[in-house]
Amino acid sequence: MSLRARVTFSIDEASRTLVFRYIGDLTGDQLYAQIIEHIQTVEAPWLYDFLVDARRLEGVIQASDTEAFGRWWAEYAQGNDAGRRIAVVSSDPLIHARKSLRDAIFPHRTSGVFDTMDEAQDWLAAASPEAAA
């Protein structure tokens, strides 16, 4: 039985992290439409790190879809996300290979790609302003 394609969303207020889980056979336009919908429910989402769990993603996200989302984010965040991070969890070689694309699309953020959630969360916590407080 195939999974219902969707993006789940949660907020970890303690670590100031927005958590997105990609599940099933999603296209880029489906995925980013859901992400935008979720982001718009958060007050000042640029003050949060992003943790993306793409381990259950079955679709392929086109670079052009990610670039379009990046343009939307740049206009929405207005550079107020400087110093925040994006941690992506996936074993997909394409997602690993696109790290430089993410870095170009989100110039105010630092990105990392990890094989496990623990690695990603440790990386986010190590640089989190909240962790240093």
Side-chain angles (χ1 to χ4, degrees):
M1 185 169 115
S2 181
L3 296 171
R4 183 176 62 86
R6 65 194 181 281
V7 175
T8 66
F9 172 71
S10 61
I11 302 172
D12 182 340
E13 286 293 351
S15 66
R16 301 291 291 179
T17 302
L18 304 181
V19 181
F20 302 93
R21 287 187 169 82
Y22 303 168
I23 300 170
D25 188 10
L26 289 161
T27 62
D29 59 335
Q30 293 169 326
L31 182 140
Y32 289 118
Q34 291 180 52
I35 289 174
I36 289 169
E37 186 177 309
H38 293 308
I39 285 174
Q40 290 177 325
T41 68
V42 178
E43 185 176 340
W46 41 82
L47 299 178
Y48 292 78
D49 291 325
F50 294 168
L51 174 56
V52 176
D53 181 355
R55 295 174 296 173
R56 295 173 64 191
L57 175 65
E58 295 173 6
V60 176
I61 307 307
Q62 300 296 319
S64 58
D65 292 321
T66 303
E67 291 166 342
F69 173 70
R71 288 188 297 275
W72 175 86
W73 176 255
E75 185 176 316
Y76 193 69
Q78 299 286 308
N80 291 312
D81 59 335
R84 299 312 306 197
R85 293 179 157 212
I86 303 171
V88 181
V89 181
S90 177
S91 60
D92 183 334
L94 181 58
I95 290 176
H96 282 262
R98 287 191 176 163
K99 181 190 178 309
S100 61
L101 175 64
R102 270 186 304 284
D103 292 342
I105 291 171
F106 302 99
H108 302 289
R109 290 178 173 256
T110 303
S111 76
V113 185
F114 305 90
D115 292 321
T116 70
M117 286 293 280
D118 287 341
E119 291 172 329
Q121 290 168 323
D122 288 348
W123 180 74
L124 288 172
S128 162
E130 290 73 26

